Amino acid sequence: MTEPRVRVLIVDDDDLMRAGLRGVLSSDEAIELVGEASDGRQAAYRTRLTKPDVVLMDVRMPDLDGISATRELLAAFPEVKVVILTTFEQDDYIFGALNAGASGFLLKRTRPEELIAAIHTIAAGDSLLSPSVTSRVIERTAGQPAPDAASDPRLGELTPRETEVLTLVARGLSNAEIAAELVIEESTVKTHLKRVLAKAGVRDRVQLVILAYETGLARPG
């Protein structure tokens, strides 16, 4: 039995960019392009009509920008995954997108095969950031006074093993790498991650990385 295709909606005000994304996505038979929107206002409407799994969201758009559109869309459709696609790396965009609930943040110069892999990764319930974006997150949190992780209530309910898993997530390890590091099954890692997400009250892996650095559980370097 074949896996269902990943349903993708493109939101971008640039006709040429949408055409390019169409071409990239059409090269993968496991992805189905279900619709397009040319601005943030149309994003939620098109999502309601097409029921995508993943929305590729531009940042700079007229009327309603991608950050605001992401916030509105996820308020109405929390099960949808949003990937921010932009040419810009400014901190305001990065942290605005993450705070709005985006599951990924990729630059438009990302190679086609990396974009396709990212869509599948996010559709499967994981999250990701471009390496340059991850470094910005770490740099931003590194500039803040280091808090005492032990005193943060969001971490207080975690078991020692769950804390280990969260620390390794913050270091950028994949589930398979965490399993190898802790000498446990990858399925066990996934179970721990689900529990950490629930206890910490965050929606995905990106938010976990930010949480780890905000609380001082993880430190740059």
Side-chain angles (χ1 to χ4, degrees):
M1 183 176 177
T2 59
E3 291 289 323
R5 293 198 291 172
V6 179
R7 298 170 60 82
V8 178
L9 172 70
I10 296 172
V11 183
D12 199 300
D13 66 326
D14 187 320
D15 293 344
L16 192 59
M17 187 66 198
R18 291 202 310 276
L21 288 171
R22 278 200 303 272
V24 170
L25 299 184
S26 66
S27 68
D28 188 329
E29 293 183 354
I31 290 177
E32 178 184 2
L33 178 60
V34 297
E36 300 177 19
S38 59
D39 61 56
R41 289 283 176 209
Q42 293 182 16
Y45 173 69
R46 293 293 181 190
T47 297
R48 183 177 291 106
L49 288 180
T50 62
K51 297 179 172 58
D53 301 305
V54 176
V55 175
L56 295 181
M57 182 79 75
D58 186 25
V59 171
R60 287 192 174 181
M61 294 183 290
D63 194 16
L64 188 69
D65 66 82
I67 307 303
S68 299
T70 295
R71 189 173 289 107
E72 288 190 8
L73 190 155
L74 291 176
F77 309 98
E79 72 283 358
V80 174
K81 308 292 185 182
V82 175
V83 181
I84 299 293
L85 266 180
T86 183
T87 54
F88 307 99
E89 292 185 67
Q90 288 97 324
D91 284 354
D92 287 348
Y93 291 144
I94 294 172
F95 291 95
L98 296 179
N99 289 333
S103 296
F105 193 112
L106 296 172
L107 302 176
K108 287 184 176 178
R109 64 171 180 262
T110 299
R111 291 182 300 180
E113 61 271 24
E114 292 175 345
L115 174 59
I116 287 173
I119 289 172
H120 286 294
T121 295
I122 288 170
D126 213 335
S127 306
L128 57 83
L129 301 173
S130 294
S132 61
V133 173
T134 302
S135 67
R136 291 290 187 95
V137 172
I138 294 172
E139 287 170 12
R140 168 71 73 90
T141 53
Q144 307 297 321
D148 178 9
S151 66
D152 194 291
R154 292 174 293 179
L155 302 181
E157 295 184 18
L158 300 186
T159 66
R161 178 63 92 187
E162 290 166 354
T163 301
E164 281 184 296
V165 170
L166 175 55
T167 302
L168 294 174
V169 166
R171 280 173 42 192
L173 273 65
S174 67
N175 288 352
E177 290 168 336
I178 293 172
E181 178 86 9
L182 299 179
V183 197
I184 57 178
E185 295 293 328
E186 189 172 346
S187 59
T188 304
V189 174
K190 291 179 180 178
T191 299
H192 285 314
L193 275 175
K194 285 181 180 177
R195 289 174 179 163
V196 173
L197 287 166
K199 290 179 180 180
V202 298
R203 58 177 275 133
D204 56 40
R205 199 183 195 96
V206 173
Q207 304 297 321
L208 281 180
V209 172
I210 295 172
L211 172 67
Y213 282 97
E214 281 182 344
T215 58
L217 180 66
R219 303 285 171 82

PDB file of all heavy atoms in Angstrom, residues 1-26:
ATOM      1  N   MET A   1       0.849  -1.192   0.000  1.00  0.00           N
ATOM      2  CA  MET A   1       0.000   0.000   0.000  1.00  0.00           C
ATOM      3  C   MET A   1       0.888   1.246   0.000  1.00  0.00           C
ATOM      4  O   MET A   1       1.777   1.395   0.840  1.00  0.00           O
ATOM      5  CB  MET A   1      -0.903   0.011   1.242  1.00  0.00           C
ATOM      6  CG  MET A   1      -1.864   1.184   1.288  1.00  0.00           C
ATOM      7  SD  MET A   1      -2.967   1.057   2.719  1.00  0.00           S
ATOM      8  CE  MET A   1      -3.877   2.582   2.550  1.00  0.00           C
ATOM      9  N   THR A   2       0.665   2.132  -0.959  1.00  0.00           N
ATOM     10  CA  THR A   2       1.494   3.326  -1.077  1.00  0.00           C
ATOM     11  C   THR A   2       1.078   4.377  -0.053  1.00  0.00           C
ATOM     12  O   THR A   2      -0.081   4.475   0.334  1.00  0.00           O
ATOM     13  CB  THR A   2       1.387   3.932  -2.486  1.00  0.00           C
ATOM     14  OG1 THR A   2       0.026   4.259  -2.749  1.00  0.00           O
ATOM     15  CG2 THR A   2       1.899   2.948  -3.529  1.00  0.00           C
ATOM     16  N   GLU A   3       2.071   5.148   0.389  1.00  0.00           N
ATOM     17  CA  GLU A   3       1.806   6.231   1.325  1.00  0.00           C
ATOM     18  C   GLU A   3       1.036   7.351   0.615  1.00  0.00           C
ATOM     19  O   GLU A   3       1.258   7.611  -0.567  1.00  0.00           O
ATOM     20  CB  GLU A   3       3.128   6.789   1.851  1.00  0.00           C
ATOM     21  CG  GLU A   3       3.885   5.840   2.769  1.00  0.00           C
ATOM     22  CD  GLU A   3       3.208   5.676   4.120  1.00  0.00           C
ATOM     23  OE1 GLU A   3       2.663   6.678   4.625  1.00  0.00           O
ATOM     24  OE2 GLU A   3       3.201   4.553   4.635  1.00  0.00           O
ATOM     25  N   PRO A   4       0.119   8.024   1.323  1.00  0.00           N
ATOM     26  CA  PRO A   4      -0.582   9.152   0.703  1.00  0.00           C
ATOM     27  C   PRO A   4       0.401  10.274   0.376  1.00  0.00           C
ATOM     28  O   PRO A   4       1.381  10.478   1.103  1.00  0.00           O
ATOM     29  CB  PRO A   4      -1.585   9.584   1.776  1.00  0.00           C
ATOM     30  CG  PRO A   4      -1.042   9.046   3.058  1.00  0.00           C
ATOM     31  CD  PRO A   4      -0.321   7.787   2.706  1.00  0.00           C
ATOM     32  N   ARG A   5       0.137  10.971  -0.710  1.00  0.00           N
ATOM     33  CA  ARG A   5       1.029  12.055  -1.113  1.00  0.00           C
ATOM     34  C   ARG A   5       0.898  13.241  -0.159  1.00  0.00           C
ATOM     35  O   ARG A   5      -0.149  13.467   0.434  1.00  0.00           O
ATOM     36  CB  ARG A   5       0.721  12.483  -2.543  1.00  0.00           C
ATOM     37  CG  ARG A   5       1.051  11.404  -3.570  1.00  0.00           C
ATOM     38  CD  ARG A   5       1.160  11.986  -4.968  1.00  0.00           C
ATOM     39  NE  ARG A   5      -0.131  12.430  -5.492  1.00  0.00           N
ATOM     40  CZ  ARG A   5      -0.275  13.112  -6.632  1.00  0.00           C
ATOM     41  NH1 ARG A   5       0.783  13.433  -7.357  1.00  0.00           N
ATOM     42  NH2 ARG A   5      -1.472  13.469  -7.045  1.00  0.00           N
ATOM     43  N   VAL A   6       1.980  14.004  -0.025  1.00  0.00           N
ATOM     44  CA  VAL A   6       1.978  15.200   0.809  1.00  0.00           C
ATOM     45  C   VAL A   6       1.307  16.330   0.039  1.00  0.00           C
ATOM     46  O   VAL A   6       1.739  16.682  -1.061  1.00  0.00           O
ATOM     47  CB  VAL A   6       3.415  15.615   1.194  1.00  0.00           C
ATOM     48  CG1 VAL A   6       3.382  16.883   2.042  1.00  0.00           C
ATOM     49  CG2 VAL A   6       4.123  14.489   1.937  1.00  0.00           C
ATOM     50  N   ARG A   7       0.265  16.882   0.604  1.00  0.00           N
ATOM     51  CA  ARG A   7      -0.495  17.949  -0.053  1.00  0.00           C
ATOM     52  C   ARG A   7       0.126  19.312   0.308  1.00  0.00           C
ATOM     53  O   ARG A   7       0.287  19.628   1.482  1.00  0.00           O
ATOM     54  CB  ARG A   7      -1.962  17.897   0.392  1.00  0.00           C
ATOM     55  CG  ARG A   7      -2.659  16.597   0.002  1.00  0.00           C
ATOM     56  CD  ARG A   7      -4.029  16.456   0.666  1.00  0.00           C
ATOM     57  NE  ARG A   7      -4.932  17.527   0.300  1.00  0.00           N
ATOM     58  CZ  ARG A   7      -5.648  17.559  -0.820  1.00  0.00           C
ATOM     59  NH1 ARG A   7      -5.549  16.565  -1.697  1.00  0.00           N
ATOM     60  NH2 ARG A   7      -6.455  18.565  -1.078  1.00  0.00           N
ATOM     61  N   VAL A   8       0.483  20.083  -0.723  1.00  0.00           N
ATOM     62  CA  VAL A   8       1.208  21.335  -0.504  1.00  0.00           C
ATOM     63  C   VAL A   8       0.470  22.517  -1.125  1.00  0.00           C
ATOM     64  O   VAL A   8      -0.021  22.436  -2.250  1.00  0.00           O
ATOM     65  CB  VAL A   8       2.639  21.260  -1.092  1.00  0.00           C
ATOM     66  CG1 VAL A   8       3.369  22.589  -0.900  1.00  0.00           C
ATOM     67  CG2 VAL A   8       3.423  20.127  -0.440  1.00  0.00           C
ATOM     68  N   LEU A   9       0.398  23.614  -0.379  1.00  0.00           N
ATOM     69  CA  LEU A   9      -0.155  24.877  -0.863  1.00  0.00           C
ATOM     70  C   LEU A   9       0.970  25.907  -0.911  1.00  0.00           C
ATOM     71  O   LEU A   9       1.739  26.038   0.050  1.00  0.00           O
ATOM     72  CB  LEU A   9      -1.263  25.364   0.085  1.00  0.00           C
ATOM     73  CG  LEU A   9      -1.823  26.777  -0.158  1.00  0.00           C
ATOM     74  CD1 LEU A   9      -2.648  26.810  -1.436  1.00  0.00           C
ATOM     75  CD2 LEU A   9      -2.663  27.230   1.039  1.00  0.00           C
ATOM     76  N   ILE A  10       1.097  26.623  -2.021  1.00  0.00           N
ATOM     77  CA  ILE A  10       2.105  27.668  -2.180  1.00  0.00           C
ATOM     78  C   ILE A  10       1.466  29.030  -1.953  1.00  0.00           C
ATOM     79  O   ILE A  10       0.429  29.345  -2.543  1.00  0.00           O
ATOM     80  CB  ILE A  10       2.714  27.635  -3.597  1.00  0.00           C
ATOM     81  CG1 ILE A  10       3.461  26.317  -3.837  1.00  0.00           C
ATOM     82  CG2 ILE A  10       3.656  28.821  -3.804  1.00  0.00           C
ATOM     83  CD1 ILE A  10       3.918  26.146  -5.280  1.00  0.00           C
ATOM     84  N   VAL A  11       2.080  29.847  -1.098  1.00  0.00           N
ATOM     85  CA  VAL A  11       1.610  31.216  -0.870  1.00  0.00           C
ATOM     86  C   VAL A  11       2.772  32.163  -1.164  1.00  0.00           C
ATOM     87  O   VAL A  11       3.733  32.239  -0.401  1.00  0.00           O
ATOM     88  CB  VAL A  11       1.111  31.413   0.577  1.00  0.00           C
ATOM     89  CG1 VAL A  11       0.566  32.832   0.749  1.00  0.00           C
ATOM     90  CG2 VAL A  11       0.047  30.387   0.937  1.00  0.00           C
ATOM     91  N   ASP A  12       2.697  32.895  -2.283  1.00  0.00           N
ATOM     92  CA  ASP A  12       3.768  33.807  -2.682  1.00  0.00           C
ATOM     93  C   ASP A  12       3.198  34.811  -3.677  1.00  0.00           C
ATOM     94  O   ASP A  12       2.427  34.435  -4.561  1.00  0.00           O
ATOM     95  CB  ASP A  12       4.919  33.024  -3.327  1.00  0.00           C
ATOM     96  CG  ASP A  12       6.219  33.815  -3.348  1.00  0.00           C
ATOM     97  OD1 ASP A  12       6.239  34.913  -3.969  1.00  0.00           O
ATOM     98  OD2 ASP A  12       7.216  33.353  -2.766  1.00  0.00           O
ATOM     99  N   ASP A  13       3.556  36.076  -3.533  1.00  0.00           N
ATOM    100  CA  ASP A  13       3.006  37.094  -4.429  1.00  0.00           C
ATOM    101  C   ASP A  13       3.779  37.209  -5.743  1.00  0.00           C
ATOM    102  O   ASP A  13       3.370  37.946  -6.639  1.00  0.00           O
ATOM    103  CB  ASP A  13       2.962  38.461  -3.731  1.00  0.00           C
ATOM    104  CG  ASP A  13       4.356  38.997  -3.423  1.00  0.00           C
ATOM    105  OD1 ASP A  13       5.247  38.182  -3.121  1.00  0.00           O
ATOM    106  OD2 ASP A  13       4.542  40.223  -3.466  1.00  0.00           O
ATOM    107  N   ASP A  14       4.872  36.480  -5.879  1.00  0.00           N
ATOM    108  CA  ASP A  14       5.708  36.537  -7.081  1.00  0.00           C
ATOM    109  C   ASP A  14       5.305  35.413  -8.043  1.00  0.00           C
ATOM    110  O   ASP A  14       5.494  34.229  -7.739  1.00  0.00           O
ATOM    111  CB  ASP A  14       7.177  36.399  -6.680  1.00  0.00           C
ATOM    112  CG  ASP A  14       8.129  36.623  -7.839  1.00  0.00           C
ATOM    113  OD1 ASP A  14       7.830  36.153  -8.953  1.00  0.00           O
ATOM    114  OD2 ASP A  14       9.183  37.259  -7.637  1.00  0.00           O
ATOM    115  N   ASP A  15       4.755  35.778  -9.199  1.00  0.00           N
ATOM    116  CA  ASP A  15       4.303  34.777 -10.168  1.00  0.00           C
ATOM    117  C   ASP A  15       5.438  33.854 -10.594  1.00  0.00           C
ATOM    118  O   ASP A  15       5.246  32.640 -10.745  1.00  0.00           O
ATOM    119  CB  ASP A  15       3.721  35.466 -11.416  1.00  0.00           C
ATOM    120  CG  ASP A  15       2.435  36.210 -11.118  1.00  0.00           C
ATOM    121  OD1 ASP A  15       1.833  35.955 -10.056  1.00  0.00           O
ATOM    122  OD2 ASP A  15       2.036  37.057 -11.942  1.00  0.00           O
ATOM    123  N   LEU A  16       6.620  34.431 -10.800  1.00  0.00           N
ATOM    124  CA  LEU A  16       7.760  33.648 -11.248  1.00  0.00           C
ATOM    125  C   LEU A  16       8.204  32.661 -10.168  1.00  0.00           C
ATOM    126  O   LEU A  16       8.545  31.507 -10.471  1.00  0.00           O
ATOM    127  CB  LEU A  16       8.912  34.583 -11.625  1.00  0.00           C
ATOM    128  CG  LEU A  16      10.092  33.956 -12.379  1.00  0.00           C
ATOM    129  CD1 LEU A  16       9.624  33.339 -13.692  1.00  0.00           C
ATOM    130  CD2 LEU A  16      11.165  35.014 -12.643  1.00  0.00           C
ATOM    131  N   MET A  17       8.167  33.103  -8.927  1.00  0.00           N
ATOM    132  CA  MET A  17       8.552  32.225  -7.820  1.00  0.00           C
ATOM    133  C   MET A  17       7.579  31.059  -7.695  1.00  0.00           C
ATOM    134  O   MET A  17       7.989  29.908  -7.503  1.00  0.00           O
ATOM    135  CB  MET A  17       8.586  33.017  -6.512  1.00  0.00           C
ATOM    136  CG  MET A  17       9.145  32.235  -5.329  1.00  0.00           C
ATOM    137  SD  MET A  17      10.880  31.844  -5.567  1.00  0.00           S
ATOM    138  CE  MET A  17      11.096  30.509  -4.380  1.00  0.00           C
ATOM    139  N   ARG A  18       6.282  31.353  -7.825  1.00  0.00           N
ATOM    140  CA  ARG A  18       5.288  30.274  -7.748  1.00  0.00           C
ATOM    141  C   ARG A  18       5.495  29.270  -8.875  1.00  0.00           C
ATOM    142  O   ARG A  18       5.394  28.057  -8.677  1.00  0.00           O
ATOM    143  CB  ARG A  18       3.866  30.839  -7.791  1.00  0.00           C
ATOM    144  CG  ARG A  18       3.465  31.634  -6.551  1.00  0.00           C
ATOM    145  CD  ARG A  18       1.946  31.711  -6.384  1.00  0.00           C
ATOM    146  NE  ARG A  18       1.263  32.140  -7.592  1.00  0.00           N
ATOM    147  CZ  ARG A  18       1.099  33.399  -7.959  1.00  0.00           C
ATOM    148  NH1 ARG A  18       1.599  34.380  -7.211  1.00  0.00           N
ATOM    149  NH2 ARG A  18       0.440  33.713  -9.064  1.00  0.00           N
ATOM    150  N   ALA A  19       5.799  29.781 -10.057  1.00  0.00           N
ATOM    151  CA  ALA A  19       6.038  28.889 -11.197  1.00  0.00           C
ATOM    152  C   ALA A  19       7.256  28.009 -10.937  1.00  0.00           C
ATOM    153  O   ALA A  19       7.262  26.810 -11.254  1.00  0.00           O
ATOM    154  CB  ALA A  19       6.231  29.708 -12.468  1.00  0.00           C
ATOM    155  N   GLY A  20       8.307  28.602 -10.373  1.00  0.00           N
ATOM    156  CA  GLY A  20       9.503  27.831 -10.055  1.00  0.00           C
ATOM    157  C   GLY A  20       9.238  26.753  -9.019  1.00  0.00           C
ATOM    158  O   GLY A  20       9.706  25.612  -9.153  1.00  0.00           O
ATOM    159  N   LEU A  21       8.459  27.095  -8.000  1.00  0.00           N
ATOM    160  CA  LEU A  21       8.112  26.121  -6.963  1.00  0.00           C
ATOM    161  C   LEU A  21       7.242  25.002  -7.539  1.00  0.00           C
ATOM    162  O   LEU A  21       7.406  23.837  -7.174  1.00  0.00           O
ATOM    163  CB  LEU A  21       7.388  26.813  -5.806  1.00  0.00           C
ATOM    164  CG  LEU A  21       8.258  27.711  -4.923  1.00  0.00           C
ATOM    165  CD1 LEU A  21       7.393  28.503  -3.952  1.00  0.00           C
ATOM    166  CD2 LEU A  21       9.291  26.886  -4.158  1.00  0.00           C
ATOM    167  N   ARG A  22       6.336  25.367  -8.435  1.00  0.00           N
ATOM    168  CA  ARG A  22       5.517  24.344  -9.102  1.00  0.00           C
ATOM    169  C   ARG A  22       6.412  23.338  -9.810  1.00  0.00           C
ATOM    170  O   ARG A  22       6.197  22.127  -9.754  1.00  0.00           O
ATOM    171  CB  ARG A  22       4.568  24.981 -10.122  1.00  0.00           C
ATOM    172  CG  ARG A  22       3.304  25.558  -9.555  1.00  0.00           C
ATOM    173  CD  ARG A  22       2.225  25.725 -10.626  1.00  0.00           C
ATOM    174  NE  ARG A  22       2.666  26.552 -11.749  1.00  0.00           N
ATOM    175  CZ  ARG A  22       2.547  27.875 -11.795  1.00  0.00           C
ATOM    176  NH1 ARG A  22       2.022  28.532 -10.770  1.00  0.00           N
ATOM    177  NH2 ARG A  22       2.947  28.560 -12.853  1.00  0.00           N
ATOM    178  N   GLY A  23       7.417  23.863 -10.527  1.00  0.00           N
ATOM    179  CA  GLY A  23       8.324  22.986 -11.254  1.00  0.00           C
ATOM    180  C   GLY A  23       9.093  22.059 -10.330  1.00  0.00           C
ATOM    181  O   GLY A  23       9.252  20.862 -10.619  1.00  0.00           O
ATOM    182  N   VAL A  24       9.565  22.602  -9.214  1.00  0.00           N
ATOM    183  CA  VAL A  24      10.315  21.785  -8.255  1.00  0.00           C
ATOM    184  C   VAL A  24       9.429  20.696  -7.657  1.00  0.00           C
ATOM    185  O   VAL A  24       9.800  19.515  -7.606  1.00  0.00           O
ATOM    186  CB  VAL A  24      10.896  22.669  -7.132  1.00  0.00           C
ATOM    187  CG1 VAL A  24      11.472  21.801  -6.000  1.00  0.00           C
ATOM    188  CG2 VAL A  24      11.981  23.588  -7.685  1.00  0.00           C
ATOM    189  N   LEU A  25       8.241  21.079  -7.217  1.00  0.00           N
ATOM    190  CA  LEU A  25       7.354  20.124  -6.545  1.00  0.00           C
ATOM    191  C   LEU A  25       6.853  19.041  -7.495  1.00  0.00           C
ATOM    192  O   LEU A  25       6.649  17.892  -7.087  1.00  0.00           O
ATOM    193  CB  LEU A  25       6.166  20.855  -5.912  1.00  0.00           C
ATOM    194  CG  LEU A  25       6.508  21.900  -4.842  1.00  0.00           C
ATOM    195  CD1 LEU A  25       5.230  22.466  -4.225  1.00  0.00           C
ATOM    196  CD2 LEU A  25       7.408  21.327  -3.769  1.00  0.00           C
ATOM    197  N   SER A  26       6.675  19.405  -8.761  1.00  0.00           N
ATOM    198  CA  SER A  26       6.168  18.423  -9.734  1.00  0.00           C
ATOM    199  C   SER A  26       7.177  17.317 -10.029  1.00  0.00           C
ATOM    200  O   SER A  26       6.832  16.284 -10.594  1.00  0.00           O
ATOM    201  CB  SER A  26       5.787  19.119 -11.046  1.00  0.00           C
ATOM    202  OG  SER A  26       6.942  19.651 -11.680  1.00  0.00           O
TER     203      SER A  26
END
